[in-house]
Amino acid sequence: MRGKSTAAIIGALWIAEITGSFETAMIYAAQRALTDDLGDPVRVGWLITSYLVIGAGAAALAGRLGDIFGRRRLMLGMLTIAFVGSLVSTFSVNYPMLLAGRCLQGLTGAILPLCVGLVRENLSPKQVPMGIGLMISGASAGTACGLVIGGMIVDHYSWHGVFFASALFAAIAFIAIYCALPSSPRARMDGRLDWIGGILFVPAIFALLLAITSGPKWGLFDGRTAITVALGLALMALWIRASLRTANPLFDVRLFANRQVFIANAVTALVAMSTLQITLVFSLLLQAPTWTQIGLGATATLAGLAKNISSLAAGPLSGWMTSRGGGRTTMITGGLLTTSGWLLAMFYNDSILVITLILILISFGATMQFAVGPTILAGAVPPERTSEAAGMMTVMRQAFLGIGAQMVSVLLATSTVMTPGGGASYPTTGAFFLTMGVIVSLCIVATLLAFALPRNAGVAAD
């Protein structure tokens, strides 16, 4: 660790991950205020969509560039750009300026894969699982801060305040990383790096995520949806072809030939489609009127806090379990917890207290699954490609989060009841039961898939 304190390194990376997660979640706390101020929910939607798609591209691109040119250097650059973007949005005087700042903030999508690489780079092999688990707990803490602190700022000041808070987080994270982490080595490359083939990956992901997030608004059979999907798939095919034909690609698709890499990403995709839809499903269930015969007519704030607090403990526990029993045991345990939680929710959903306890159970299991994925990757790929692999997993999670959200929305719309006198419609008990049943099925598949991992996946070699 070249003279640097392990605690200081972990603390600095933890702050950086809180910064990235805060910027992701804070927009939801400000969503209503932004809609009132901008007068157009579509514009607010673009603040969310642009951030997500740029974040996915940044995760993919910066992960590999960090492996090549130095992760610490790139992390400082990403935090600097995020700081500038936050200030641009803070002092924005029109919508284009606000959107531009939010797009710059999207580069914080690179923070998690860079953190994973920096953990492996600076900690001993036996400390890596716990270190990555702590990074995931930082993501949970940042989400809670974004929703709770962001909400308080909006309530007592304005939406401009959440962007200013984001700038402060970025500045603190920059100082922490600069002071606590040593300079990163640069990876040696044999031959010329294939920039063109690698860059194709970014617009391909952008197009596909754009189709996922905007397609439902445009319409399934709208020409824009078809063109965007076709463009994304065509670019993805070109990227795969270029990666396979190049000796030194920017993103190596051949990493997926590794069983651990493939399974970790497949489980991540299934978890994103199912368990990570927890907020979408339970926020609606909690806030739906009681006359729907399943809604509890309450706020989701308390339950949301409970599930985020539980995640703070689940990340380190995941690292501890992985370092002793292997990533397969941790991933299976997390899958059993999430499956049990969703099964309970199907039959016991008439009490806020019970739902809160179920949320804690599901969130605990999901965080374990989320935390162990990067640890498995870190043990399965060469050190110089750690951040690249983590970045690809981040993109996988983002893409399937969008797919899962649309799947859940369609399932919940299969059976609805209207507000007396017309107006809003809400899912019925049957719709919630169907949605949770599909989620349980996906959770079971993810858990069974984890059995294909080697017993020692993610365990440090002596």
Side-chain angles (χ1 to χ4, degrees):
M1 277 165 282
R2 290 166 283 191
K4 298 290 185 177
S5 162
T6 300
I9 290 171
I10 288 293
L13 294 174
W14 201 71
I15 293 170
E17 183 51 39
I18 286 178
T19 300
S21 299
F22 179 87
E23 294 195 356
T24 301
M26 69 174 198
I27 197 71
Y28 296 102
Q31 192 168 3
R32 178 174 293 181
L34 283 164
T35 301
D36 292 341
D37 214 8
L38 298 174
D40 185 356
V42 174
R43 286 187 164 193
V44 179
W46 274 108
L47 294 177
I48 297 171
T49 301
S50 61
Y51 177 89
L52 290 175
V53 294
I54 290 174
L61 191 60
R64 180 59 176 142
L65 294 179
D67 289 338
I68 296 171
F69 298 111
R71 300 180 184 105
R72 176 180 178 270
R73 183 180 295 106
L74 202 62
M75 174 76 84
L76 293 174
M78 295 296 103
L79 289 170
T80 300
I81 296 172
F83 174 79
V84 172
S86 297
L87 289 183
V88 168
S89 293
T90 299
F91 300 106
S92 60
V93 294
N94 52 47
Y95 179 72
M97 188 175 176
L98 173 63
L99 182 61
R102 185 63 177 161
C103 289
L104 291 176
Q105 281 187 311
L107 293 178
T108 55
I111 287 179
L112 181 57
L114 289 174
C115 280
V116 171
L118 286 164
V119 165
R120 189 179 185 188
E121 179 182 306
N122 290 283
L123 271 61
S124 68
K126 289 187 177 180
Q127 293 173 319
V128 168
M130 182 66 75
I132 293 176
L134 286 167
M135 293 305 101
I136 304 306
S137 74
S140 299
T143 300
C145 287
L147 294 173
V148 179
I149 298 176
M152 293 172 62
I153 292 173
V154 172
D155 289 341
H156 294 89
Y157 179 53
S158 77
W159 59 261
H160 291 272
V162 295
F163 288 98
F164 187 73
S166 181
L168 289 178
F169 269 114
I172 293 170
F174 181 96
I175 294 170
I177 294 292
Y178 184 83
C179 294
L181 270 74
S183 297
S184 297
R186 297 189 180 194
R188 279 188 167 185
M189 291 185 301
D190 297 323
R192 182 181 167 194
L193 187 66
D194 177 29
W195 286 94
I196 301 300
I199 291 173
L200 284 174
F201 184 78
V202 178
I205 290 297
F206 185 94
L208 291 174
L209 285 179
L210 184 61
I212 291 168
T213 54
S214 298
K217 302 185 188 81
W218 295 339
L220 183 61
F221 300 104
D222 188 278
R224 291 171 293 181
T225 305
I227 291 172
T228 307
V229 170
L231 178 62
L233 292 175
L235 290 174
M236 185 65 70
L238 287 173
W239 166 70
I240 292 172
R241 181 173 178 268
S243 179
L244 291 174
R245 296 181 63 181
T246 304
N248 195 22
L250 186 59
F251 304 115
D252 193 354
V253 73
R254 285 166 292 210
L255 289 175
F256 285 97
N258 182 299
R259 181 173 57 157
Q260 295 186 49
V261 173
F262 177 81
I263 292 173
N265 277 281
V267 171
T268 294
L270 289 168
V271 171
M273 284 183 66
S274 56
T275 293
L276 294 188
Q277 305 303 322
I278 182 173
T279 302
L280 178 58
V281 175
F282 284 102
S283 291
L284 187 54
L285 187 150
L286 282 162
Q287 297 178 75
T290 55
W291 56 260
T292 62
Q293 298 183 351
I294 189 170
L296 298 175
T299 174
T301 302
L302 181 60
L305 271 174
K307 87 178 183 64
N308 279 295
I309 291 171
S310 71
S311 298
L312 295 178
L317 176 62
S318 171
W320 180 84
M321 287 183 63
T322 302
S323 64
R324 283 156 178 78
R328 186 176 78 162
T329 299
T330 306
M331 193 165 275
I332 291 170
T333 302
L336 291 173
L337 291 175
T338 56
T339 304
S340 300
W342 283 103
L343 274 171
L344 288 171
M346 291 177 70
F347 301 100
Y348 301 99
N349 46 49
D350 57 353
S351 163
I352 293 177
L353 175 60
V354 171
I355 289 296
T356 300
L357 294 174
I358 288 173
L359 277 169
I360 292 173
L361 177 63
I362 295 173
S363 182
F364 201 90
T367 302
M368 290 180 69
Q369 290 176 300
F370 180 25
V372 74
T375 305
I376 292 172
L377 293 183
V381 301
E384 68 274 11
R385 287 191 176 269
T386 302
S387 292
E388 174 192 358
M392 294 172 87
M393 177 172 277
T394 300
V395 173
M396 187 76 69
R397 185 178 67 253
Q398 292 289 89
F400 280 89
L401 267 173
I403 293 171
Q406 298 308 321
M407 177 194 73
V408 167
S409 298
V410 170
L411 291 171
L412 289 174
T414 55
S415 177
T416 59
V417 289
M418 295 288 293
T419 302
S425 62
Y426 296 92
T428 63
T429 301
F432 275 108
F433 190 86
L434 173 63
T435 301
M436 292 180 186
V438 171
I439 289 174
V440 166
S441 300
L442 293 172
C443 288
I444 291 173
V445 174
T447 306
L448 292 175
L449 191 57
F451 277 95
L453 286 167
R455 290 185 180 274
N456 64 343
V459 176
D462 293 327

